[in-house]
Amino acid sequence: MKLSVLDFVSIPEGGTASRSLADTAEYAKLAEDLGCHRFWMAEHHGMPGIASSAVAVCLAHVGNATSKIRIGSGGIMLPNHSPLVIAEQFGTLDALFPGRIDLGLGRAPGADSRIGQMLRKDLHSAAERFPQDVTELRAVLSGDGSTPLQAVPGRGADVEMWILGSSLFGAQLAALLGLPYAFASHFAPAALDEALALYRENFRPSEDCEKPHVMVAANCYAADTREEAELIASSMDQSFIALRTGTPGKLPPPVPGYRESLPPQLLAGLRGLRRVSAIGTREDVRETLTELAARTGADEIVLSGSTFDPAARRYSLELAMDAMKASVTPAN
């Protein structure tokens, strides 16, 4: 099993995008030094607390701060873009950082309904075209000659393509196309087991992927005590609640006993969203992640978890990697 990192480039209250991007570069270097396999970033728009909207630009920043860890999108929301433009962007990244680039593709907008207006696109129709756009993007990257225009850079780029999902749709598409599949269980765990079973049962081997390959996402907050881990996790808990109640903002500082302060309906929703989470001591994290790997048969687990204090996030990753070192395949 491989362990990787998903980073949102969270902007804490009182912080700036510039500072968060600098912290992300430091975090990526630590992930590389600890033996993490991949470092992924996700496309979000119009969110005051997330600075990763321009994923390709952010990945170039991280690539320059590291030397061997794989870097990529977890993911690019393809309905927002032209397949040609994404091929050019990730082809350029491959030219800059050869053999290190992943391209995870999702069909959600990465924002609320206003994004379609700002992008001048009918995102409903674009989402319906997602399978065709993935196929076109794959063709452009392979340079198979079936498209009117070749991507430069991009044609023949060594980019590892993934399908991302939080429902059964992505599982079906990844299986049909013979691509690796990553499930967003860190915020949408409900369909995890059904989606993985569907993907494996219907997988068709391809030149890109000979057999099913699964990554699952988990929130991870490790600290010296369970109480401390719960405390640092409370910043992201607050962000989830703010997003669900229509008041997103920057990442707030930790609040002791935050979950206990929530009304029952919000607490139930938070528990449902955060069901796939490893929160606690090194031993707690080891037990939770080992159980998740056994339950899902995952080839990889990608760890997510924003903290108000970047030092707490770095220490959490150190503890998690140390906890799992006997189970983790070292990065090349």
Side-chain angles (χ1 to χ4, degrees), residues 141-177:
L141 286 171
S142 68
D144 67 5
S146 64
T147 57
L149 188 67
Q150 298 298 311
V152 183
R155 179 180 182 181
D158 182 16
V159 173
E160 187 173 298
M161 188 178 291
W162 289 67
I163 297 296
L164 314 182
S166 57
S167 66
L168 303 185
F169 179 88
Q172 293 171 313
L173 182 62
L176 177 66
L177 298 179

PDB file of all heavy atoms in Angstrom, residues 141-177:
ATOM      1  N   LEU A 141      -3.516  13.687 -25.363  1.00  0.00           N
ATOM      2  CA  LEU A 141      -2.268  13.387 -24.673  1.00  0.00           C
ATOM      3  C   LEU A 141      -1.493  12.263 -25.361  1.00  0.00           C
ATOM      4  O   LEU A 141      -0.265  12.286 -25.406  1.00  0.00           O
ATOM      5  CB  LEU A 141      -2.553  13.015 -23.216  1.00  0.00           C
ATOM      6  CG  LEU A 141      -2.926  14.174 -22.281  1.00  0.00           C
ATOM      7  CD1 LEU A 141      -3.385  13.640 -20.931  1.00  0.00           C
ATOM      8  CD2 LEU A 141      -1.748  15.124 -22.096  1.00  0.00           C
ATOM      9  N   SER A 142      -2.215  11.303 -25.894  1.00  0.00           N
ATOM     10  CA  SER A 142      -1.523  10.190 -26.562  1.00  0.00           C
ATOM     11  C   SER A 142      -1.020  10.575 -27.945  1.00  0.00           C
ATOM     12  O   SER A 142      -0.131   9.931 -28.500  1.00  0.00           O
ATOM     13  CB  SER A 142      -2.462   8.986 -26.684  1.00  0.00           C
ATOM     14  OG  SER A 142      -3.524   9.254 -27.600  1.00  0.00           O
ATOM     15  N   GLY A 143      -1.616  11.659 -28.517  1.00  0.00           N
ATOM     16  CA  GLY A 143      -1.202  12.065 -29.858  1.00  0.00           C
ATOM     17  C   GLY A 143      -1.559  11.049 -30.911  1.00  0.00           C
ATOM     18  O   GLY A 143      -0.799  10.824 -31.860  1.00  0.00           O
ATOM     19  N   ASP A 144      -2.762  10.444 -30.774  1.00  0.00           N
ATOM     20  CA  ASP A 144      -3.126   9.363 -31.693  1.00  0.00           C
ATOM     21  C   ASP A 144      -3.609   9.854 -33.052  1.00  0.00           C
ATOM     22  O   ASP A 144      -3.957   9.056 -33.924  1.00  0.00           O
ATOM     23  CB  ASP A 144      -4.167   8.444 -31.053  1.00  0.00           C
ATOM     24  CG  ASP A 144      -5.529   9.122 -30.837  1.00  0.00           C
ATOM     25  OD1 ASP A 144      -5.701  10.279 -31.261  1.00  0.00           O
ATOM     26  OD2 ASP A 144      -6.414   8.474 -30.260  1.00  0.00           O
ATOM     27  N   GLY A 145      -3.654  11.169 -33.249  1.00  0.00           N
ATOM     28  CA  GLY A 145      -4.023  11.712 -34.550  1.00  0.00           C
ATOM     29  C   GLY A 145      -5.506  11.828 -34.796  1.00  0.00           C
ATOM     30  O   GLY A 145      -5.924  12.252 -35.881  1.00  0.00           O
ATOM     31  N   SER A 146      -6.342  11.489 -33.815  1.00  0.00           N
ATOM     32  CA  SER A 146      -7.796  11.518 -34.031  1.00  0.00           C
ATOM     33  C   SER A 146      -8.401  12.889 -33.775  1.00  0.00           C
ATOM     34  O   SER A 146      -9.587  13.089 -34.029  1.00  0.00           O
ATOM     35  CB  SER A 146      -8.475  10.489 -33.119  1.00  0.00           C
ATOM     36  OG  SER A 146      -8.291  10.822 -31.748  1.00  0.00           O
ATOM     37  N   THR A 147      -7.616  13.831 -33.269  1.00  0.00           N
ATOM     38  CA  THR A 147      -8.136  15.165 -32.969  1.00  0.00           C
ATOM     39  C   THR A 147      -7.630  16.168 -34.009  1.00  0.00           C
ATOM     40  O   THR A 147      -6.556  15.990 -34.580  1.00  0.00           O
ATOM     41  CB  THR A 147      -7.695  15.609 -31.565  1.00  0.00           C
ATOM     42  OG1 THR A 147      -6.268  15.571 -31.476  1.00  0.00           O
ATOM     43  CG2 THR A 147      -8.269  14.674 -30.503  1.00  0.00           C
ATOM     44  N   PRO A 148      -8.383  17.246 -34.246  1.00  0.00           N
ATOM     45  CA  PRO A 148      -7.993  18.219 -35.277  1.00  0.00           C
ATOM     46  C   PRO A 148      -6.683  18.941 -34.972  1.00  0.00           C
ATOM     47  O   PRO A 148      -5.973  19.357 -35.888  1.00  0.00           O
ATOM     48  CB  PRO A 148      -9.166  19.207 -35.303  1.00  0.00           C
ATOM     49  CG  PRO A 148     -10.292  18.515 -34.640  1.00  0.00           C
ATOM     50  CD  PRO A 148      -9.697  17.566 -33.658  1.00  0.00           C
ATOM     51  N   LEU A 149      -6.362  19.090 -33.694  1.00  0.00           N
ATOM     52  CA  LEU A 149      -5.196  19.861 -33.299  1.00  0.00           C
ATOM     53  C   LEU A 149      -4.415  19.100 -32.245  1.00  0.00           C
ATOM     54  O   LEU A 149      -4.997  18.467 -31.359  1.00  0.00           O
ATOM     55  CB  LEU A 149      -5.646  21.219 -32.731  1.00  0.00           C
ATOM     56  CG  LEU A 149      -4.558  22.251 -32.435  1.00  0.00           C
ATOM     57  CD1 LEU A 149      -3.903  22.715 -33.733  1.00  0.00           C
ATOM     58  CD2 LEU A 149      -5.168  23.448 -31.695  1.00  0.00           C
ATOM     59  N   GLN A 150      -3.100  19.128 -32.336  1.00  0.00           N
ATOM     60  CA  GLN A 150      -2.241  18.463 -31.372  1.00  0.00           C
ATOM     61  C   GLN A 150      -1.839  19.438 -30.263  1.00  0.00           C
ATOM     62  O   GLN A 150      -1.624  20.625 -30.513  1.00  0.00           O
ATOM     63  CB  GLN A 150      -0.996  17.907 -32.057  1.00  0.00           C
ATOM     64  CG  GLN A 150      -1.282  16.857 -33.120  1.00  0.00           C
ATOM     65  CD  GLN A 150      -1.963  15.622 -32.545  1.00  0.00           C
ATOM     66  OE1 GLN A 150      -1.530  15.066 -31.545  1.00  0.00           O
ATOM     67  NE2 GLN A 150      -3.043  15.198 -33.188  1.00  0.00           N
ATOM     68  N   ALA A 151      -1.721  18.931 -29.051  1.00  0.00           N
ATOM     69  CA  ALA A 151      -1.300  19.747 -27.919  1.00  0.00           C
ATOM     70  C   ALA A 151       0.219  19.828 -27.881  1.00  0.00           C
ATOM     71  O   ALA A 151       0.906  18.802 -27.925  1.00  0.00           O
ATOM     72  CB  ALA A 151      -1.809  19.150 -26.615  1.00  0.00           C
ATOM     73  N   VAL A 152       0.745  21.049 -27.797  1.00  0.00           N
ATOM     74  CA  VAL A 152       2.191  21.277 -27.712  1.00  0.00           C
ATOM     75  C   VAL A 152       2.450  22.325 -26.635  1.00  0.00           C
ATOM     76  O   VAL A 152       2.073  23.491 -26.810  1.00  0.00           O
ATOM     77  CB  VAL A 152       2.765  21.775 -29.058  1.00  0.00           C
ATOM     78  CG1 VAL A 152       4.276  21.938 -28.943  1.00  0.00           C
ATOM     79  CG2 VAL A 152       2.417  20.823 -30.193  1.00  0.00           C
ATOM     80  N   PRO A 153       3.067  21.921 -25.495  1.00  0.00           N
ATOM     81  CA  PRO A 153       3.386  20.550 -25.065  1.00  0.00           C
ATOM     82  C   PRO A 153       2.099  19.768 -24.768  1.00  0.00           C
ATOM     83  O   PRO A 153       1.047  20.362 -24.567  1.00  0.00           O
ATOM     84  CB  PRO A 153       4.205  20.762 -23.790  1.00  0.00           C
ATOM     85  CG  PRO A 153       4.634  22.185 -23.808  1.00  0.00           C
ATOM     86  CD  PRO A 153       3.534  22.919 -24.515  1.00  0.00           C
ATOM     87  N   GLY A 154       2.227  18.486 -24.688  1.00  0.00           N
ATOM     88  CA  GLY A 154       1.093  17.633 -24.359  1.00  0.00           C
ATOM     89  C   GLY A 154       1.081  16.343 -25.144  1.00  0.00           C
ATOM     90  O   GLY A 154       0.857  15.271 -24.581  1.00  0.00           O
ATOM     91  N   ARG A 155       1.314  16.424 -26.434  1.00  0.00           N
ATOM     92  CA  ARG A 155       1.280  15.209 -27.248  1.00  0.00           C
ATOM     93  C   ARG A 155       2.379  14.253 -26.795  1.00  0.00           C
ATOM     94  O   ARG A 155       3.556  14.615 -26.738  1.00  0.00           O
ATOM     95  CB  ARG A 155       1.484  15.564 -28.718  1.00  0.00           C
ATOM     96  CG  ARG A 155       1.478  14.346 -29.631  1.00  0.00           C
ATOM     97  CD  ARG A 155       1.682  14.732 -31.075  1.00  0.00           C
ATOM     98  NE  ARG A 155       1.617  13.577 -31.940  1.00  0.00           N
ATOM     99  CZ  ARG A 155       1.782  13.608 -33.254  1.00  0.00           C
ATOM    100  NH1 ARG A 155       2.004  14.772 -33.862  1.00  0.00           N
ATOM    101  NH2 ARG A 155       1.703  12.510 -33.962  1.00  0.00           N
ATOM    102  N   GLY A 156       1.970  13.043 -26.437  1.00  0.00           N
ATOM    103  CA  GLY A 156       2.921  12.031 -25.998  1.00  0.00           C
ATOM    104  C   GLY A 156       3.429  12.225 -24.593  1.00  0.00           C
ATOM    105  O   GLY A 156       4.381  11.548 -24.175  1.00  0.00           O
ATOM    106  N   ALA A 157       2.815  13.131 -23.827  1.00  0.00           N
ATOM    107  CA  ALA A 157       3.283  13.390 -22.460  1.00  0.00           C
ATOM    108  C   ALA A 157       3.059  12.167 -21.574  1.00  0.00           C
ATOM    109  O   ALA A 157       2.083  11.431 -21.721  1.00  0.00           O
ATOM    110  CB  ALA A 157       2.560  14.596 -21.882  1.00  0.00           C
ATOM    111  N   ASP A 158       3.967  11.971 -20.643  1.00  0.00           N
ATOM    112  CA  ASP A 158       3.889  10.856 -19.700  1.00  0.00           C
ATOM    113  C   ASP A 158       3.081  11.294 -18.490  1.00  0.00           C
ATOM    114  O   ASP A 158       3.619  11.561 -17.408  1.00  0.00           O
ATOM    115  CB  ASP A 158       5.306  10.427 -19.286  1.00  0.00           C
ATOM    116  CG  ASP A 158       5.300   9.229 -18.343  1.00  0.00           C
ATOM    117  OD1 ASP A 158       4.250   8.557 -18.252  1.00  0.00           O
ATOM    118  OD2 ASP A 158       6.337   8.986 -17.706  1.00  0.00           O
ATOM    119  N   VAL A 159       1.773  11.398 -18.675  1.00  0.00           N
ATOM    120  CA  VAL A 159       0.862  11.860 -17.635  1.00  0.00           C
ATOM    121  C   VAL A 159      -0.028  10.690 -17.220  1.00  0.00           C
ATOM    122  O   VAL A 159      -0.653  10.057 -18.066  1.00  0.00           O
ATOM    123  CB  VAL A 159      -0.004  13.031 -18.132  1.00  0.00           C
ATOM    124  CG1 VAL A 159      -1.063  13.406 -17.106  1.00  0.00           C
ATOM    125  CG2 VAL A 159       0.872  14.237 -18.451  1.00  0.00           C
ATOM    126  N   GLU A 160      -0.081  10.410 -15.932  1.00  0.00           N
ATOM    127  CA  GLU A 160      -0.900   9.314 -15.417  1.00  0.00           C
ATOM    128  C   GLU A 160      -2.310   9.832 -15.143  1.00  0.00           C
ATOM    129  O   GLU A 160      -2.515  10.654 -14.261  1.00  0.00           O
ATOM    130  CB  GLU A 160      -0.281   8.747 -14.138  1.00  0.00           C
ATOM    131  CG  GLU A 160      -0.967   7.497 -13.624  1.00  0.00           C
ATOM    132  CD  GLU A 160      -0.225   6.864 -12.459  1.00  0.00           C
ATOM    133  OE1 GLU A 160       0.935   6.454 -12.654  1.00  0.00           O
ATOM    134  OE2 GLU A 160      -0.797   6.805 -11.348  1.00  0.00           O
ATOM    135  N   MET A 161      -3.283   9.344 -15.898  1.00  0.00           N
ATOM    136  CA  MET A 161      -4.657   9.834 -15.795  1.00  0.00           C
ATOM    137  C   MET A 161      -5.462   8.982 -14.828  1.00  0.00           C
ATOM    138  O   MET A 161      -5.356   7.752 -14.826  1.00  0.00           O
ATOM    139  CB  MET A 161      -5.312   9.838 -17.177  1.00  0.00           C
ATOM    140  CG  MET A 161      -6.675  10.512 -17.210  1.00  0.00           C
ATOM    141  SD  MET A 161      -7.408  10.540 -18.873  1.00  0.00           S
ATOM    142  CE  MET A 161      -6.319  11.695 -19.698  1.00  0.00           C
ATOM    143  N   TRP A 162      -6.267   9.654 -14.001  1.00  0.00           N
ATOM    144  CA  TRP A 162      -7.156   9.015 -13.042  1.00  0.00           C
ATOM    145  C   TRP A 162      -8.570   9.560 -13.215  1.00  0.00           C
ATOM    146  O   TRP A 162      -8.757  10.699 -13.633  1.00  0.00           O
ATOM    147  CB  TRP A 162      -6.721   9.336 -11.607  1.00  0.00           C
ATOM    148  CG  TRP A 162      -5.467   8.679 -11.130  1.00  0.00           C
ATOM    149  CD1 TRP A 162      -4.190   8.905 -11.572  1.00  0.00           C
ATOM    150  CD2 TRP A 162      -5.367   7.710 -10.090  1.00  0.00           C
ATOM    151  NE1 TRP A 162      -3.308   8.135 -10.867  1.00  0.00           N
ATOM    152  CE2 TRP A 162      -4.001   7.388  -9.948  1.00  0.00           C
ATOM    153  CE3 TRP A 162      -6.304   7.090  -9.256  1.00  0.00           C
ATOM    154  CZ2 TRP A 162      -3.554   6.473  -9.005  1.00  0.00           C
ATOM    155  CZ3 TRP A 162      -5.860   6.171  -8.322  1.00  0.00           C
ATOM    156  CH2 TRP A 162      -4.494   5.859  -8.207  1.00  0.00           C
ATOM    157  N   ILE A 163      -9.553   8.737 -12.837  1.00  0.00           N
ATOM    158  CA  ILE A 163     -10.922   9.209 -12.684  1.00  0.00           C
ATOM    159  C   ILE A 163     -11.208   9.324 -11.196  1.00  0.00           C
ATOM    160  O   ILE A 163     -10.937   8.403 -10.416  1.00  0.00           O
ATOM    161  CB  ILE A 163     -11.937   8.255 -13.342  1.00  0.00           C
ATOM    162  CG1 ILE A 163     -11.695   8.173 -14.855  1.00  0.00           C
ATOM    163  CG2 ILE A 163     -13.362   8.711 -13.048  1.00  0.00           C
ATOM    164  CD1 ILE A 163     -11.923   9.474 -15.595  1.00  0.00           C
ATOM    165  N   LEU A 164     -11.769  10.470 -10.806  1.00  0.00           N
ATOM    166  CA  LEU A 164     -12.150  10.701  -9.421  1.00  0.00           C
ATOM    167  C   LEU A 164     -13.661  10.575  -9.293  1.00  0.00           C
ATOM    168  O   LEU A 164     -14.385  10.798 -10.256  1.00  0.00           O
ATOM    169  CB  LEU A 164     -11.725  12.103  -8.967  1.00  0.00           C
ATOM    170  CG  LEU A 164     -10.308  12.551  -9.316  1.00  0.00           C
ATOM    171  CD1 LEU A 164     -10.056  13.936  -8.754  1.00  0.00           C
ATOM    172  CD2 LEU A 164      -9.282  11.570  -8.784  1.00  0.00           C
ATOM    173  N   GLY A 165     -14.118  10.250  -8.105  1.00  0.00           N
ATOM    174  CA  GLY A 165     -15.557  10.158  -7.942  1.00  0.00           C
ATOM    175  C   GLY A 165     -15.989  10.119  -6.496  1.00  0.00           C
ATOM    176  O   GLY A 165     -15.197   9.789  -5.605  1.00  0.00           O
ATOM    177  N   SER A 166     -17.267  10.436  -6.280  1.00  0.00           N
ATOM    178  CA  SER A 166     -17.891  10.303  -4.970  1.00  0.00           C
ATOM    179  C   SER A 166     -19.235   9.588  -5.106  1.00  0.00           C
ATOM    180  O   SER A 166     -20.035   9.581  -4.180  1.00  0.00           O
ATOM    181  CB  SER A 166     -18.091  11.678  -4.328  1.00  0.00           C
ATOM    182  OG  SER A 166     -18.875  12.517  -5.160  1.00  0.00           O
ATOM    183  N   SER A 167     -19.461   9.011  -6.287  1.00  0.00           N
ATOM    184  CA  SER A 167     -20.704   8.291  -6.554  1.00  0.00           C
ATOM    185  C   SER A 167     -20.377   7.124  -7.482  1.00  0.00           C
ATOM    186  O   SER A 167     -19.214   6.842  -7.759  1.00  0.00           O
ATOM    187  CB  SER A 167     -21.733   9.218  -7.208  1.00  0.00           C
ATOM    188  OG  SER A 167     -21.293   9.604  -8.504  1.00  0.00           O
ATOM    189  N   LEU A 168     -21.413   6.480  -7.994  1.00  0.00           N
ATOM    190  CA  LEU A 168     -21.198   5.311  -8.855  1.00  0.00           C
ATOM    191  C   LEU A 168     -20.809   5.700 -10.275  1.00  0.00           C
ATOM    192  O   LEU A 168     -20.234   4.885 -11.007  1.00  0.00           O
ATOM    193  CB  LEU A 168     -22.458   4.443  -8.880  1.00  0.00           C
ATOM    194  CG  LEU A 168     -22.965   3.957  -7.521  1.00  0.00           C
ATOM    195  CD1 LEU A 168     -24.140   3.012  -7.709  1.00  0.00           C
ATOM    196  CD2 LEU A 168     -21.859   3.296  -6.717  1.00  0.00           C
ATOM    197  N   PHE A 169     -21.106   6.922 -10.687  1.00  0.00           N
ATOM    198  CA  PHE A 169     -20.828   7.326 -12.064  1.00  0.00           C
ATOM    199  C   PHE A 169     -19.338   7.215 -12.380  1.00  0.00           C
ATOM    200  O   PHE A 169     -18.941   6.642 -13.402  1.00  0.00           O
ATOM    201  CB  PHE A 169     -21.314   8.753 -12.309  1.00  0.00           C
ATOM    202  CG  PHE A 169     -21.050   9.249 -13.702  1.00  0.00           C
ATOM    203  CD1 PHE A 169     -21.970   9.028 -14.714  1.00  0.00           C
ATOM    204  CD2 PHE A 169     -19.874   9.915 -14.019  1.00  0.00           C
ATOM    205  CE1 PHE A 169     -21.729   9.470 -16.007  1.00  0.00           C
ATOM    206  CE2 PHE A 169     -19.620  10.362 -15.306  1.00  0.00           C
ATOM    207  CZ  PHE A 169     -20.546  10.136 -16.302  1.00  0.00           C
ATOM    208  N   GLY A 170     -18.504   7.799 -11.539  1.00  0.00           N
ATOM    209  CA  GLY A 170     -17.070   7.766 -11.790  1.00  0.00           C
ATOM    210  C   GLY A 170     -16.515   6.361 -11.787  1.00  0.00           C
ATOM    211  O   GLY A 170     -15.608   6.028 -12.563  1.00  0.00           O
ATOM    212  N   ALA A 171     -17.056   5.512 -10.917  1.00  0.00           N
ATOM    213  CA  ALA A 171     -16.605   4.119 -10.858  1.00  0.00           C
ATOM    214  C   ALA A 171     -16.890   3.405 -12.174  1.00  0.00           C
ATOM    215  O   ALA A 171     -16.055   2.660 -12.701  1.00  0.00           O
ATOM    216  CB  ALA A 171     -17.292   3.404  -9.702  1.00  0.00           C
ATOM    217  N   GLN A 172     -18.081   3.629 -12.717  1.00  0.00           N
ATOM    218  CA  GLN A 172     -18.444   2.998 -13.988  1.00  0.00           C
ATOM    219  C   GLN A 172     -17.552   3.493 -15.121  1.00  0.00           C
ATOM    220  O   GLN A 172     -17.098   2.710 -15.959  1.00  0.00           O
ATOM    221  CB  GLN A 172     -19.913   3.285 -14.300  1.00  0.00           C
ATOM    222  CG  GLN A 172     -20.887   2.628 -13.340  1.00  0.00           C
ATOM    223  CD  GLN A 172     -22.318   3.094 -13.547  1.00  0.00           C
ATOM    224  OE1 GLN A 172     -22.595   4.287 -13.666  1.00  0.00           O
ATOM    225  NE2 GLN A 172     -23.249   2.152 -13.587  1.00  0.00           N
ATOM    226  N   LEU A 173     -17.298   4.802 -15.150  1.00  0.00           N
ATOM    227  CA  LEU A 173     -16.488   5.358 -16.227  1.00  0.00           C
ATOM    228  C   LEU A 173     -15.041   4.877 -16.134  1.00  0.00           C
ATOM    229  O   LEU A 173     -14.442   4.510 -17.152  1.00  0.00           O
ATOM    230  CB  LEU A 173     -16.542   6.888 -16.179  1.00  0.00           C
ATOM    231  CG  LEU A 173     -15.766   7.605 -17.287  1.00  0.00           C
ATOM    232  CD1 LEU A 173     -16.332   7.254 -18.659  1.00  0.00           C
ATOM    233  CD2 LEU A 173     -15.800   9.120 -17.067  1.00  0.00           C
ATOM    234  N   ALA A 174     -14.474   4.885 -14.935  1.00  0.00           N
ATOM    235  CA  ALA A 174     -13.100   4.416 -14.762  1.00  0.00           C
ATOM    236  C   ALA A 174     -12.963   2.957 -15.182  1.00  0.00           C
ATOM    237  O   ALA A 174     -11.976   2.565 -15.817  1.00  0.00           O
ATOM    238  CB  ALA A 174     -12.664   4.596 -13.312  1.00  0.00           C
ATOM    239  N   ALA A 175     -13.959   2.145 -14.848  1.00  0.00           N
ATOM    240  CA  ALA A 175     -13.934   0.741 -15.236  1.00  0.00           C
ATOM    241  C   ALA A 175     -14.015   0.588 -16.749  1.00  0.00           C
ATOM    242  O   ALA A 175     -13.277  -0.203 -17.360  1.00  0.00           O
ATOM    243  CB  ALA A 175     -15.084  -0.008 -14.561  1.00  0.00           C
ATOM    244  N   LEU A 176     -14.902   1.346 -17.374  1.00  0.00           N
ATOM    245  CA  LEU A 176     -15.088   1.260 -18.822  1.00  0.00           C
ATOM    246  C   LEU A 176     -13.826   1.671 -19.573  1.00  0.00           C
ATOM    247  O   LEU A 176     -13.457   1.045 -20.575  1.00  0.00           O
ATOM    248  CB  LEU A 176     -16.254   2.158 -19.233  1.00  0.00           C
ATOM    249  CG  LEU A 176     -16.558   2.257 -20.731  1.00  0.00           C
ATOM    250  CD1 LEU A 176     -17.043   0.920 -21.260  1.00  0.00           C
ATOM    251  CD2 LEU A 176     -17.603   3.347 -20.993  1.00  0.00           C
ATOM    252  N   LEU A 177     -13.148   2.712 -19.093  1.00  0.00           N
ATOM    253  CA  LEU A 177     -11.966   3.231 -19.786  1.00  0.00           C
ATOM    254  C   LEU A 177     -10.673   2.545 -19.362  1.00  0.00           C
ATOM    255  O   LEU A 177      -9.624   2.810 -19.943  1.00  0.00           O
ATOM    256  CB  LEU A 177     -11.850   4.743 -19.545  1.00  0.00           C
ATOM    257  CG  LEU A 177     -13.003   5.604 -20.073  1.00  0.00           C
ATOM    258  CD1 LEU A 177     -12.762   7.070 -19.743  1.00  0.00           C
ATOM    259  CD2 LEU A 177     -13.174   5.412 -21.576  1.00  0.00           C
TER     260      LEU A 177
END
